[in-house]
Amino acid sequence: MQDVLAQQLVNGVTLGFLYVLIAVGLTMVYGVLKLLHFAHGVIYMVGAFAAMVGILYLKMNFFVAMLFAMAVAAGAGMLIEKYAYRPLRGVHPITTLISGIGVAIFLENLFQILFSSEPQAFPEAGIEVSIMQLTESISLTNVKLYIIAAGLLGLAFLYFFLKFTKMGIATQAAAQDLRAASLMGVNVNRVVSVTFMIGSALAAAAGVLVALNFNSLFPTMGSIPGLKAFCVVVLGGLGSIPGTVVGGLILGIIESLSDGFLTGMIIDKDAIAFVILIAILLVKPSGLFGQNVEKV
């Protein structure tokens, strides 16, 4: 029992860092624009397919293809912000939400036309999935190690960006008060574009690593991870990056434990995220690190 528990905790931490990579972009966008970026999940898929194109057709090795995918996703995120959200800035939030849903559906259908709706194997990238024995009963694959490393590197980059760069400080100012930051000379449009680019690049990294781990990618692969990222953001508190980190790890560990001990007995592990979301909305709508919200 203890061996199973330890293995599931290791798996849960890995899954948690994967959720952090996806969700941190959502929480950054919400922090600056108070916008629910519903098309964020599809960016995860765009990243996986961009890496596949990089490996198959541009003959990149895996890590170069991953950087290529992050760059493509960053560009896609910037374009989505510029053409799907910016013209609607200031209108009712439901309008931008619908715009994001439209973008997600459009991109999923576009990729089904370009690459087929059937799951495809992730191409050989010079990396074989290998298993490392941490102890006699606890193992970890090299891909899961990459996920944890990518999560830690992503968070370190965000910390440096927000604390020590001019654009990062401008982003924090915009998150405090977008209008006041604009009046103080902050180029708000540039801040928002950079926020979308960073969040999209991190989501793409998650998509590439998952495609490598499961040797599979398909146009709708971002739907469930995208929805779970919303659960993580709500769990941690809307707009809170520390809350997103804690929320992602909590959700990952809970899912992993339920997968190890409760599979087939109560509910599927994917449903756990949404049960948690409903419970939080009922008990603490502001999340673990969010500001208090007024109930109506």
Side-chain angles (χ1 to χ4, degrees), residues 71-117:
V72 170
M78 182 186 68
L79 291 175
I80 290 172
E81 185 278 323
K82 185 173 182 179
Y83 294 107
Y85 291 134
R86 190 180 301 179
L88 302 175
R89 199 176 293 170
V91 303
H92 195 280
I94 194 68
T95 306
T96 53
L97 180 66
I98 291 172
S99 180
I101 293 172
V103 169
I105 293 173
F106 168 76
L107 286 177
E108 284 184 354
N109 281 273
L110 176 64
F111 275 68
Q112 287 179 13
I113 293 171
L114 294 175
F115 298 100
S116 151
S117 59

Side-chain angles (χ1 to χ4, degrees), residues 24 35 40 44 53 57 124 134 160-161 189 193 210 217 220 225 234 243 257 263:
V24 75
L35 165 71
H40 190 65
Y44 165 94
V53 170
Y57 301 108
E124 292 281 342
L134 300 182
F160 178 82
F161 171 75
N189 286 335
S193 291
V210 167
L217 68 167
T220 56
V234 172
L257 291 176
T263 298

Side-chain angles (χ1 to χ4, degrees), residues 175-190:
Q176 290 291 323
D177 191 320
L178 194 66
R179 180 175 173 80
S182 177
L183 293 174
M184 294 299 292
V186 173
N187 188 331
V188 170
N189 286 335
R190 183 178 299 174

Side-chain angles (χ1 to χ4, degrees), residues 9-293:
L9 286 175
V10 171
N11 294 342
V13 170
T14 306
L15 189 58
F17 274 112
L18 184 67
Y19 289 151
V20 170
L21 276 174
I22 305 170
V24 75
L26 274 181
T27 206
M28 287 178 67
V29 168
Y30 185 85
V32 173
L33 286 179
K34 304 299 180 285
L35 165 71
L36 294 176
H37 176 23
F38 201 85
H40 190 65
V42 81
I43 292 293
Y44 165 94
M45 174 273 292
V46 170
F49 275 95
M52 183 190 77
V53 170
I55 294 168
L56 278 183
Y57 301 108
L58 303 179
K59 307 304 179 187
M60 297 175 176
N61 69 36
F62 173 75
F63 294 105
V64 175
M66 186 169 170
L67 293 175
F68 172 70
M70 292 173 72
V72 170
M78 182 186 68
L79 291 175
I80 290 172
E81 185 278 323
K82 185 173 182 179
Y83 294 107
Y85 291 134
R86 190 180 301 179
L88 302 175
R89 199 176 293 170
V91 303
H92 195 280
I94 194 68
T95 306
T96 53
L97 180 66
I98 291 172
S99 180
I101 293 172
V103 169
I105 293 173
F106 168 76
L107 286 177
E108 284 184 354
N109 281 273
L110 176 64
F111 275 68
Q112 287 179 13
I113 293 171
L114 294 175
F115 298 100
S116 151
S117 59
E118 298 298 322
Q120 301 182 42
F122 194 73
E124 292 281 342
I127 292 180
E128 295 182 0
V129 178
S130 60
I131 299 175
M132 298 173 286
Q133 287 296 138
L134 300 182
T135 67
E136 186 176 343
S137 57
I138 303 174
S139 62
L140 185 69
T141 67
N142 56 340
V143 179
K144 289 182 177 179
L145 193 61
Y146 296 158
I147 291 172
I148 294 174
L152 291 174
L153 284 173
L155 291 175
F157 168 78
L158 280 181
Y159 179 80
F160 178 82
F161 171 75
L162 292 172
K163 292 291 183 182
F164 301 109
T165 68
K166 188 175 179 180
M167 180 59 71
I169 294 170
T171 302
Q172 292 190 69
Q176 290 291 323
D177 191 320
L178 194 66
R179 180 175 173 80
S182 177
L183 293 174
M184 294 299 292
V186 173
N187 188 331
V188 170
N189 286 335
R190 183 178 299 174
V191 166
V192 172
S193 291
V194 170
T195 301
F196 270 80
M197 291 172 69
I198 292 174
S200 298
L202 294 176
V208 175
L209 290 168
V210 167
L212 175 66
N213 187 53
F214 293 104
N215 190 28
S216 175
L217 68 167
F218 45 95
T220 56
M221 63 183 285
S223 299
I224 295 298
L227 290 174
K228 287 185 178 179
F230 276 107
C231 297
V232 168
V233 171
V234 172
L235 174 60
L238 289 168
S240 169
I241 292 178
T244 298
V245 176
V246 174
L249 291 174
I250 289 176
L251 182 61
I253 290 171
I254 290 176
E255 279 195 9
S256 184
L257 291 176
S258 67
D259 192 32
F261 293 100
L262 303 177
T263 298
M265 296 177 63
I266 300 180
I267 56 176
D268 187 82
K269 71 181 181 65
D270 287 341
I272 294 290
F274 304 106
V275 171
I276 292 174
L277 175 64
I278 294 170
I280 291 170
L281 290 174
L282 291 173
V283 178
K284 196 174 190 309
S286 61
L288 298 175
F289 291 77
Q291 297 178 349
N292 290 330
V293 296

